[in-house]
Each structure stands twice: as structure tokens, then as C-alpha cells.
Amino acid sequence: EVQLVESGGGLVQAGGSLRLSCAASGFTFDDYAIGWFRQAPGKEREGVACMNSADNMEYYGDFVKGRFSISSDDAKNTVYLQMNSLKPEDTAVYYCVVEAGVKILIRPDYWGQGTQVTVSS
């Protein structure tokens, strides 16, 4: 059973930083993409960042613009999202997600429970 457990969300002032963590387990896929989606109130879910098992290339949503960075610690089976220069519009629930057989997230197969990120102005 695939399990994705996020942590690290919270309240931060604009311009601040947060690091999200995702402890992943139960994978049996040869190839997959893992990363982060987010959903703000009243808006659709959108991809934030991802990386894949094949070549570890990193992909980011256009709105990230160099502010966020995805990384992984394979020994801990953990994926991180370092978020800097946070803006109020980054306020959302952030989900750790996995999709099998792809290099970039399109329609994730598995979702974590989500962690709230709130950026105050």
C-alpha cells in the first residue's frame, strides 16, 4: 500500500520560508514521478514541483519562478519542498503525490492527506 505522509506546513509571513516533507512508502513501481500539488480555496489543484525516478530531473510550475526547490533523501524515502520568498497567494493545502510510469506528474495516482500552508501579508 502506497503511503504519503506530509509534514512541515504552517503559518509564515510573506517573504518567509517553509520546508515541507513527504515520507513515502509502499512503492512497487519501476518508474514514477513524485512531487507536490496544491489547492487554494476556490481554485483548482495545480502542480507545484516534481521529480522522477528515471533521471531525477526537476519540474516546476510557472508560478514558482525559482522560489521553490524539490529534493529527496533516498535513504529516508523522503521528498522535500523548500519554499522561499513565500507570497500570500501561495496559501493552499499542499499534497504530496505520486504517479506511476511517467516522468512528470499529470494525473497523480496517490495523494497524501495534505498539509496547510498559510502565508500572511
Side-chain angles (χ1 to χ4, degrees):
E1 178 186 3
V2 174
Q3 289 191 326
L4 304 168
V5 180
E6 304 99 332
S7 60
L11 174 64
V12 65
Q13 289 188 334
S17 298
L18 281 175
R19 189 177 80 158
L20 306 183
S21 300
C22 172
S25 63
F27 288 14
T28 59
F29 325 126
D30 291 332
D31 299 308
Y32 59 88
I34 185 168
W36 301 85
F37 266 54
R38 72 182 187 182
Q39 187 167 25
K43 295 186 177 181
E44 294 185 354
R45 289 175 174 177
E46 60 182 349
V48 178
C50 73
M51 58 195 310
N52 65 69
S53 60
D55 55 22
N56 281 331
M57 287 289 292
E58 300 170 12
Y59 302 90
Y60 297 92
D62 290 342
F63 59 86
V64 169
K65 296 183 180 179
R67 300 182 297 127
F68 298 177
S69 177
I70 188 171
S71 62
S72 66
D73 184 334
D74 293 341
K76 295 182 179 179
N77 292 325
T78 300
V79 176
Y80 304 97
L81 183 67
Q82 177 67 43
M83 303 187 294
N84 300 323
S85 302
L86 283 161
K87 306 174 182 180
E89 51 264 43
D90 293 318
T91 295
V93 177
Y94 284 70
Y95 297 91
C96 182
V97 297
V98 171
E99 185 172 350
V102 297
K103 289 191 174 183
I104 186 169
L105 295 170
I106 302 173
R107 292 185 178 181
D109 303 306
Y110 301 94
W111 294 72
Q113 82 285 356
T115 186
Q116 177 70 45
V117 171
T118 302
V119 184
S120 63
S121 57

